[in-house]
Amino acid sequence: MKLNMNRIDRRRFLRGTGLALALPMFGSLAAPVARGAAARANPKRLGCFYFPDGVPMPLAEDPAYQDWAWFPHRNGDDFTFTKCMQPLEPLRDEITVLSGFSHPKSRNSHGHNNADQFLTGAATGGGDMEYANTISLDQEYVKVVGDQTRFASLVMSTDGGTGTARGAHTISFDRNGRAIPAEHRPKQIFDMLFVKSDGDSARRLALSRSALDDMLVDARSLRKTLSSADQQNLDEYLDSVRQAEIKVEKAKRWINAPLPKIDGDHLNLELTTDEPREYLQTMFELIYLAFKTDSTRVATYQIGRENGVGRSDHLARAVGFNLAHSLSHETKNPGGWKNFAIYCQFLNEEYGRFIGKLKQTPEPAGTGTMLDNTLLLFGSASSAFHLSRNYPLILAGGKQMGFKHGQYIDHAGSNPQGGAWDGGQEPWQKKVTHEDTPLSNLFATMLQRLGSPTQSFADSTGTIENI
């Protein structure tokens, strides 16, 4: 029977899609371990954290260089932290600072466009370039462990949602390169993880299953009437529907499983960025609790979006400044480098607090600490002046996966700007005479140590051996 496209019940498609998009909050993973079952090996976890706008990188002749540069002085295990990085000194044996890494496809992009590609390595570009993205590092690992916990991954940001192309509010992208919406409200995150639903979840799952069935019936009829190009677009849509079907089936396994019992009295769950320090601490705490209860083994948190847009720009008020992004553009003013560094020092302090808590928490299986079994990546996709090279990166944890720390690996060479510059122009206009190492080489290394069968990721050309 020929189907008239103008008479399709589009409300059914929209209704079904809405339900499918809501499904992740029901959870998606394998059946709970039966009571009395043998203790499991410690899980391997991955956390990725992104901050925008680059870091302070004054030139060596600048008076601010000694105290307020982001990258340490000297390299190897003989490095020294600056005041900007001083909050991480107690954790120096648990972290590796990295320089001289970037994504080849994004090295000509403006730093304002960089969050989208931080975990993907895709050519998201700018200007007239068509926007396209690929799967992110965290979601690649979800393929390995996503069916073992209630939530395949926890995706968070300070601004929430997805944002826009090249202005993302999330650093997580699915296998089709679609942005995964991030949650920014502490109470909603806590309730999702630890508060029992209203008892109506089973009915909603049944409705979701029914809606998806209806969508597939309509779609199969519709496909016969479409052009080849439209059929391809529909097939991409149906792939999303099939993924939603899988999530529905997985959610059924968890529907009657008890949620972890967590005392949240110490958390102010009604926080906003009007209380920036406490807000950041709470977001890190929620990730810690999600890992501790094995509610998920994969988490991402975009601390801020690029270009000074959104509520995340208010985080600088924790240390007495109005807006975070403007600090990165005022470095030529008196005290400009120091002011920018003080804000980065604040981020390092709160990130260090989170690392320290994982280090202080023993694993239930008795092998090391949570930090030893958790691999953490913290960084930005631009350096000084929003330059899309020499990303500032900190790798932490994962000692049970073979990672060794207590070092500064300087792939950028002796130039603090990351690369050998010639000419006398502004740093972001100068010609680069050697290239960074592909960041995807680090990602491939991380995935392999986490237990992923992948041999490569994005445009990786190998792995990193000295970590």
Side-chain angles (χ1 to χ4, degrees), residues 275-291:
E275 300 94 358
R277 186 179 290 274
E278 191 177 357
Y279 176 86
L280 200 58
Q281 290 175 1
T282 300
M283 296 293 270
F284 279 126
E285 176 76 2
L286 289 168
I287 296 172
Y288 166 77
L289 292 173
F291 281 166

Side-chain angles (χ1 to χ4, degrees), residues 369-413:
T369 68
M370 283 183 66
L371 182 62
D372 294 331
N373 295 290
T374 305
L375 186 57
L376 304 174
L377 177 70
F378 178 81
S380 184
S382 58
S383 50
F385 315 107
H386 300 331
L387 186 71
S388 300
R389 296 174 181 270
N390 192 22
Y391 299 169
L393 304 166
I394 301 174
L395 194 68
K399 286 186 175 179
Q400 290 288 329
M401 306 171 210
F403 285 92
K404 61 180 181 180
H405 295 300
Q407 56 183 334
Y408 169 33
I409 299 177
D410 181 11
H411 282 204

Side-chain angles (χ1 to χ4, degrees), residues 190-364:
F190 184 88
D191 288 351
M192 176 184 72
L193 292 171
F194 306 121
V195 177
K196 194 67 176 177
S197 64
D198 57 8
D200 205 26
S201 297
R203 184 184 67 83
R204 290 199 299 273
L205 278 175
L207 287 174
S208 299
R209 173 75 263 179
S210 176
L212 290 171
D213 288 342
D214 286 347
M215 289 166 64
L216 288 173
V217 170
D218 284 351
R220 292 187 186 107
S221 298
L222 170 62
R223 195 178 192 280
K224 301 174 184 178
T225 71
L226 300 179
S227 66
S228 297
D230 286 339
Q231 284 182 1
Q232 181 177 352
N233 290 333
L234 180 61
D235 288 343
E236 291 180 2
Y237 172 75
L238 291 180
D239 181 69
S240 297
V241 174
R242 282 188 285 270
Q243 293 306 308
E245 284 187 290
I246 293 171
K247 290 176 181 177
V248 170
E249 293 304 315
K250 290 179 179 178
K252 289 179 181 177
R253 306 179 204 171
W254 288 96
I255 197 69
N256 294 317
L259 287 162
K261 293 183 178 180
I262 292 292
D263 182 3
D265 290 346
H266 66 293
L267 296 173
N268 179 359
L269 298 174
E270 303 296 341
L271 281 168
T272 69
T273 50
D274 290 336
E275 300 94 358
R277 186 179 290 274
E278 191 177 357
Y279 176 86
L280 200 58
Q281 290 175 1
T282 300
M283 296 293 270
F284 279 126
E285 176 76 2
L286 289 168
I287 296 172
Y288 166 77
L289 292 173
F291 281 166
K292 184 179 180 182
T293 58
D294 203 25
S295 297
T296 190
R297 297 176 188 173
V298 185
T300 59
Y301 177 32
Q302 183 179 346
I303 295 171
R305 69 151 285 169
E306 304 284 6
N307 204 16
V309 178
R311 58 176 62 85
S312 59
D313 212 29
H314 299 169
L315 293 176
R317 296 173 187 178
V319 285
F321 303 109
N322 188 34
L323 299 173
H325 180 256
S326 61
L327 296 173
S328 66
H329 286 277
E330 297 171 354
T331 55
K332 291 185 178 181
N333 296 342
W337 285 120
K338 178 179 179 180
N339 293 342
F340 189 18
I342 288 173
Y343 174 65
C344 290
Q345 183 186 63
F346 155 65
L347 297 181
N348 291 332
E349 181 178 357
E350 296 309 328
Y351 181 56
R353 190 192 308 274
F354 171 69
I355 297 175
K357 193 154 189 175
L358 291 172
K359 181 181 179 180
Q360 295 163 10
T361 305
E363 289 282 23

